[in-house]
Amino acid sequence: MAFQQSDEKSTTTTTTTTETHRYYDSTSKEYHNWDANEDRAYHMYVEQTHRTYEDFPKIKTTEQTEYWKWRHDHPDKVIFKSETQEQK
């Protein structure tokens, strides 16, 4: 009796879901998506303002408002440009 090999291939599908966090900026009346870039910007803000790091959702609303004001004055092109210059 001869055994035949199966032509079926085993495949594994991995689904990765990314949880999106959105925060409302009441001063500008807009929502901001929290992603890796926003997290990096927030870390820079904490460092530049000499604050103790806390997760953004845990800080007071007034502190979140201060961050959004700072963030509007520091768009990605300014923040990440300064990081590139510091590495040189």
Side-chain angles (χ1 to χ4, degrees):
M1 185 189 276
F3 291 99
Q4 293 182 347
Q5 286 185 330
S6 174
D7 289 336
E8 294 179 33
K9 294 183 181 180
S10 177
T11 58
T12 304
T13 304
T14 304
T15 304
T16 305
T17 58
T18 304
E19 192 174 335
T20 302
H21 297 282
R22 288 176 37 147
Y23 296 96
Y24 186 69
D25 175 2
S26 60
T27 304
S28 298
K29 297 181 177 25
E30 63 186 6
Y31 285 92
H32 296 274
N33 290 324
W34 197 269
D35 56 15
N37 283 344
E38 200 63 56
D39 192 58
R40 286 171 58 198
Y42 177 62
H43 277 83
M44 290 181 72
Y45 167 77
V46 168
E47 186 177 307
Q48 287 181 8
T49 56
H50 307 286
R51 296 173 187 256
T52 302
Y53 179 83
E54 289 184 67
D55 288 337
F56 187 77
K58 294 180 181 177
I59 64 174
K60 295 177 183 176
T61 305
T62 54
E63 293 174 3
Q64 289 181 0
T65 301
E66 289 174 19
Y67 168 72
W68 293 126
K69 287 179 185 176
W70 178 89
R71 188 64 170 102
H72 284 283
D73 292 336
H74 297 80
D76 285 350
K77 65 182 179 182
V78 172
I79 291 173
F80 302 123
K81 179 181 177 184
S82 68
E83 279 185 354
T84 304
Q85 290 175 347
E86 289 174 6
Q87 292 174 357
K88 289 181 181 180

